[in-house]
């Protein structure tokens, strides 16, 4: 579907940003470089990574209708760095200003069952899956899918949180309680465990006029459920890279995306590509584009929501991105001294275990 172009917002305009973490921060930095201002809105915006580099910030709850209206009226367009902003919040904001990506897309991306149903409806493969809303349903799903599987909460998971692995002999009741089963609003999905050759992702940017660009597929290696390293481009066959690209573009188009979308995929040993999940915002696996591409993923988001032409995704170098998690950040003096390393820190005061504190990009000659 191709919509009308958005009104072109000139430099000097203000972008409203829902969410206040590092993705908002790096979007605000890209916006500032093009002469735009950013106004952050989040319950935890005070002193946040994004607010530190934005022109203004509103600290208010997602359901504070008055604060949302004042925010919407003070900006020229709204986008987001966190896909779990309540859909009702976005619906309210849309009464006063444009919000991209919009509520229909968010409602798909917020729920693993909606997401997998949507993807499968496009004829795109995922791991086999079943909804499961009590221990008995977990056991039944595992019996149908096979004993090696993963139980996930359908909503609000990130960095491997809200997940439990199952195998032969596992206790479905223990897995169900491990993901918060039984608590209000917690629903589950059981997915077959994929013995993947590697994990890849593709990041697509799309304008309201249907124009679309995609970065090459990259390989993602996780540690303890958290992204550790991204290798750009992925060392996969040309056919696999092309299939990952086709899948990501197909999903972006079908969702009528305006903004940036990351699609995470598994590559099986026989070369099949299965969708794992997606995120309608800049993504950790796209941080390499900040130093290695003509236009980074954050600038693409700014361009898409401001009705500007999308930028070139030309790869100027190959790259390896490494996340700095928790105490890793203490290595900053050595990293600064390493030639060819680009250090990015997020301005977070406290280095808690598992917390993303920054990342480094190492540029490599193009293969
Ligand atoms: N069905 C699966 N089979 C194999 N590994 C999985 C599966 N689901 C998740 N994982 C592993 O766990 C990581 C995190 O899971 P994911 O579904 O991407 O959740 P999130 O990133 O939201 O925490 C994946 O990148 C992958 O390494
Ligand atoms: Mg993931």
């Amino acid at each position: 579907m191709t919509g009308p172009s958005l009104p072109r917002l000139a430099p000097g305009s203000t972008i409203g940003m829902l969410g206040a973490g590092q993705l908002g921060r790096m979007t605000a930095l890209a916006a500032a470089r093009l002469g735009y201002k950013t106004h952050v809105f989040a319950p935890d915006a005070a002193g946040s990574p994004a607010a530190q580099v934005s022109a203004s910030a509103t600290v208010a709850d997602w359901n504070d209708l008055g604060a949302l209206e004042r925010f919407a009226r003070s900006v020229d367009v709204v986008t987001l760095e966190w896909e779990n902003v309540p859909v009702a919040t976005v619906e309210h904001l849309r009464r006063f200003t444009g919000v991209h990506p919009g509520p229909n897309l968010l409602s798909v991306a917020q729920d693993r069952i909606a997401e997998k149903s949507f993807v499968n409806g496009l004829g795109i493969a995922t791991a086999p899956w079943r909804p499961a809303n009590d221990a008995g349903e977990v056991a039944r799903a595992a019996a149908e899918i096979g004993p090696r599987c993963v139980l996930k909460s359908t909503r609000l998971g990130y960095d491997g949180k809200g997940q439990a692995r199952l195998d032969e002999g596992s206790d479905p009741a223990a897995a169900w309680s491990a993901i918060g089963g039984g608590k209000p609003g917690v629903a589950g999905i059981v997915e077959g465990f994929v013995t993947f050759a590697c994990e890849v992702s593709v990041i697509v940017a799309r304008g309201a006029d249907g124009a679309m660009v995609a970065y090459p597929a990259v390989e993602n290696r996780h540690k303890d459920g958290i992204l550790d390293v991204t290798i750009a481009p992925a060392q996969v066959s040309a056919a696999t890279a092309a299939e990952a690209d086709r899948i990501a573009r197909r999903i972006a188009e079908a969702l009528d995306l305006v903004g940036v979308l990351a699609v995470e995929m598994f590559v099986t040993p026989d070369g099949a590509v299965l969708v794992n999940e997606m995120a309608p915002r800049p993504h950790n696996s796209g941080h390499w584009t900040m130093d290695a591409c003509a236009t980074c993923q954050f600038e693409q988001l700014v361009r898409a929501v401001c009705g500007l032409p999308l930028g070139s995704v030309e790869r100027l170098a190959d790259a390896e991105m490494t996340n700095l998690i928790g105490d890793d950040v203490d290595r900053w003096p050595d990293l600064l001294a390493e030639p060819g390393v680009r250090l990015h820190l997020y301005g977070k005061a406290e280095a808690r275990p598992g917390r993303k504190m920054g990342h480094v990009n190492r540029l490599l000659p193009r293969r």
Side-chain angles (χ1 to χ4, degrees):
M1 199 173 18
T2 301
S5 305
L6 296 183
R8 176 175 287 200
L9 297 178
S13 305
T14 300
I15 298 168
M17 173 60 67
L18 304 175
Q22 64 268 18
L23 302 174
R25 175 187 182 92
M26 292 184 273
T27 304
L29 292 170
R33 195 152 41 73
L34 292 179
Y36 293 86
K37 300 185 190 84
T38 299
H39 180 162
V40 177
F41 184 109
D44 56 352
S48 63
Q52 288 172 24
V53 301
S54 294
S56 34
T58 297
V59 182
D61 285 339
W62 298 121
N63 56 12
D64 183 338
L65 300 184
L68 288 168
E69 178 173 348
R70 283 191 295 281
F71 165 73
R73 289 188 188 282
S74 75
V75 301
D76 298 294
V77 68
V78 172
T79 188
L80 51 96
E81 61 116 50
W82 188 58
E83 68 275 24
N84 295 309
V85 173
V87 169
T89 300
V90 171
E91 296 282 15
H92 187 66
L93 292 168
R94 279 175 84 222
R95 297 168 56 189
F96 314 106
T97 190
V99 185
H100 308 285
N104 297 342
L105 198 164
L106 287 184
S107 57
V108 172
Q110 287 179 354
D111 184 295
R112 293 187 190 277
I113 290 177
E115 193 169 81
K116 287 201 167 58
S117 304
F118 186 86
V119 166
N120 292 156
L122 298 175
I124 297 168
T126 58
W129 59 272
R130 301 277 186 284
N133 292 314
D134 59 42
E137 288 182 9
V138 173
R140 211 166 320 134
E144 286 172 21
I145 292 172
R148 263 197 108 187
C149 47
V150 188
L151 171 65
K152 302 181 183 176
S153 58
T154 58
R155 303 177 78 88
L156 293 169
Y158 71 98
D159 289 346
K161 294 192 197 343
Q163 301 194 13
R165 300 256 170 111
L166 288 127
D167 209 334
E168 206 83 61
S170 296
D171 176 7
W176 176 242
S177 72
I179 70 153
K183 290 195 185 136
V186 174
I189 177 173
V190 177
E191 299 177 13
F193 187 85
V194 180
T195 314
F196 51 77
C198 67
E199 289 188 79
V200 299
S201 58
V202 170
I203 294 174
V204 182
R206 187 171 181 274
D209 60 356
M212 190 155 46
V213 292
Y215 294 98
V218 297
E219 178 177 343
N220 300 315
R221 296 187 185 158
H222 294 80
K223 215 194 258 170
D224 305 325
I226 307 177
L227 182 65
D228 179 27
V229 173
T230 293
I231 296 155
Q235 301 300 293
V236 294
S237 71
T240 298
E243 176 64 358
D245 176 86
R246 183 192 71 80
I247 287 172
R249 288 174 188 263
R250 178 78 188 92
I251 293 172
E253 206 157 47
L255 288 170
D256 201 17
L257 169 75
V258 177
V260 169
L261 173 81
V263 181
E264 298 178 16
M265 293 166 267
F266 300 123
V267 180
T268 67
D270 58 3
V273 180
L274 308 177
V275 167
N276 172 29
E277 62 165 354
M278 60 190 163
R281 50 160 170 81
H283 191 259
N284 198 165
S285 70
H287 292 358
W288 69 281
T289 64
M290 298 173 83
D291 297 309
C293 293
T295 314
C296 73
Q297 62 167 350
F298 303 101
E299 181 173 334
Q300 300 287 16
L301 177 59
V302 171
R303 287 174 176 246
V305 303
C306 291
L308 308 178
L310 298 174
S312 161
V313 292
E314 189 192 348
R315 193 173 87 248
L316 306 171
D318 288 0
E320 198 173 293
M321 188 284 312
T322 306
N323 271 334
L324 301 175
I325 311 279
D327 290 347
D328 293 349
V329 73
D330 297 340
R331 288 170 25 223
W332 65 265
D334 292 341
L335 292 166
L336 274 180
E338 201 182 312
V341 162
R342 313 290 175 96
L343 177 65
H344 300 263
L345 298 179
Y346 305 152
K348 297 182 184 177
E350 205 194 333
R352 290 194 291 270
R355 194 174 198 205
K356 290 175 177 169
M357 302 300 293
H359 68 271
V360 295
N361 286 329
R362 287 189 175 81
L363 300 184
L364 307 164
R366 271 188 65 154
R367 278 167 290 224

